Amino acid sequence: MTATAVRVDTAPAAQVKRRRRSLGWIAVVPLLVFVAVAFGLPAIAMLDGAFTAKDPATGATSYTVDNLTASLEGAYLTALLGSVKLSAVSAALATLFGLPLAQAVVSSRFRGLREAVLTASGVLANFGGVPLAFAFVATLGNAGVLTRHLGLTDKGWDLYSFWGLVIVYLYFLIPLMVLTITPALDGLRTQWREAAQNNGATGVQYWRFVALPVLLPTLLGGFVLLFGSAFAAYATAAAMVGSSIPLVTLQIADAISGNVLVGQENVALALSLDMVLVAGLVMAVYLPLQRRSARWLA
């Protein structure tokens, strides 16, 4: 009789769980539809166009890898490598400067300073595009305020160069690194530092042998995240340097506007596919690092 009662009591519970799961799937359907329309259809169109070429003489279309081959040659390859170089240098410097800044904020006794820096980082990390380019042009451009006051032109300063663009990118990458690494710094247990000090370790030794090894997955994950953010940036570079610095996003814009040879109209889609592959590689590296750092700092 007891077993019967148990079966009677558990049956409605199982039905309730199944009903909740079905309702959960119904709630996810709008999101899945949005993802399919906003990302799925453009991705399919990009793949189809990247492998499609039109014969200039007959106008017939056929599937080929000529677009991908062209996207990895000449000026297109130079632009792709230029974007990788710019993104890697900017991300490395932002990681290098962002870590001590975040540590200073975390270790500060002033709660208001921490909140102010984190709030400012959240704003500055999303400040980019044409407004950011205009701000730097007005400040450090050829006729900028600081350029004229400090005589930077006579000292060889040029905002519209590779290193000038790196400095502009650091404006939003360093705050993004602060936001990324701060939770990991909060996860460092005070017992680890106390144990290191009790065993005679100095502050430098603690960071070298304890803190940095624990933070390494998060640091690498932050670097990868910053790399992806810089790699995908377009409007800031387009407004500042135009085509003077070869970048893959600028090449895509030129190709879309029709600045290509006859028969290479879909090279822009092939370049976009190259960027998607690089972004996919970035995410493939970032996600395992994020999971590993979460196990240490949970």
Side-chain angles (χ1 to χ4, degrees):
M1 184 174 181
T2 303
T4 303
V6 171
R7 285 195 297 270
V8 172
D9 292 338
T10 56
Q15 292 177 358
V16 171
K17 288 183 179 180
R18 285 195 295 269
R19 190 177 300 129
R20 288 179 178 176
R21 290 177 181 175
S22 62
L23 292 176
W25 277 106
I26 293 175
V28 174
V29 167
L31 177 61
L32 296 178
V33 172
F34 173 78
V35 172
V37 173
F39 296 96
L41 294 180
I44 293 174
M46 178 186 64
L47 285 172
D48 180 70
F51 292 98
T52 302
K54 180 183 291 186
D55 190 335
T58 63
T61 59
S62 60
Y63 286 101
T64 178
V65 295
D66 291 345
N67 294 325
L68 287 178
T69 302
S71 70
L72 297 175
E73 295 177 346
Y76 299 125
L77 178 60
T78 301
L80 181 60
L81 295 178
S83 291
V84 171
K85 178 183 177 181
L86 175 64
S87 303
V89 172
S90 301
L93 292 176
T95 302
L96 182 63
F97 296 138
L99 176 60
L101 177 59
Q103 174 59 21
V105 172
V106 169
S107 60
S108 175
R109 299 179 180 178
F110 301 99
R111 183 176 180 84
L113 175 63
R114 173 190 173 99
E115 294 178 353
V117 172
L118 293 180
T119 301
S121 296
V123 174
L124 297 178
N126 294 281
F127 183 69
V130 177
L132 178 61
F134 173 77
F136 270 88
V137 168
T139 305
L140 292 171
N142 292 338
V145 176
L146 290 182
T147 303
R148 287 187 287 113
H149 273 301
L150 301 178
L152 297 179
T153 303
D154 298 333
K155 299 176 182 178
W157 165 251
D158 183 13
L159 178 66
Y160 314 108
S161 62
F162 174 84
W163 288 107
L165 198 57
V166 167
I167 292 176
V168 175
Y169 276 30
L170 290 179
Y171 188 84
F172 62 87
L173 290 181
I174 291 178
L176 181 58
M177 186 62 194
V178 171
L179 295 176
T180 302
I181 199 64
T182 297
L185 292 172
D186 285 332
L188 292 176
R189 295 175 175 83
T190 56
Q191 295 89 336
W192 296 346
R193 180 184 289 272
E194 293 172 356
Q197 291 175 346
N198 292 336
N199 285 278
T202 63
V204 174
Q205 290 173 330
Y206 163 75
W207 277 98
R208 179 181 177 185
F209 296 106
V210 179
L212 286 180
V214 173
L215 292 174
L216 185 59
T218 304
L219 288 173
L220 294 177
F223 169 80
V224 172
L225 180 64
L226 299 183
F227 177 90
S229 179
F231 187 73
Y234 163 71
T236 302
M240 276 189 54
V241 300
S243 58
S244 60
I245 296 179
L247 298 176
V248 65
T249 51
L250 303 181
Q251 286 287 353
I252 291 174
D254 288 342
I256 290 177
S257 63
N259 188 17
V260 292
L261 299 176
V262 178
Q264 295 186 359
E265 294 82 2
N266 289 340
V267 172
L269 296 174
L271 289 170
S272 301
L273 181 58
D274 294 339
M275 289 194 66
V276 169
L277 293 177
V278 173
L281 179 61
V282 166
M283 293 304 300
V285 174
Y286 174 70
L287 293 177
L289 290 172
Q290 187 183 42
R291 287 195 295 267
R292 183 174 179 182
S293 62
R295 288 199 302 267
W296 275 98
L297 302 170

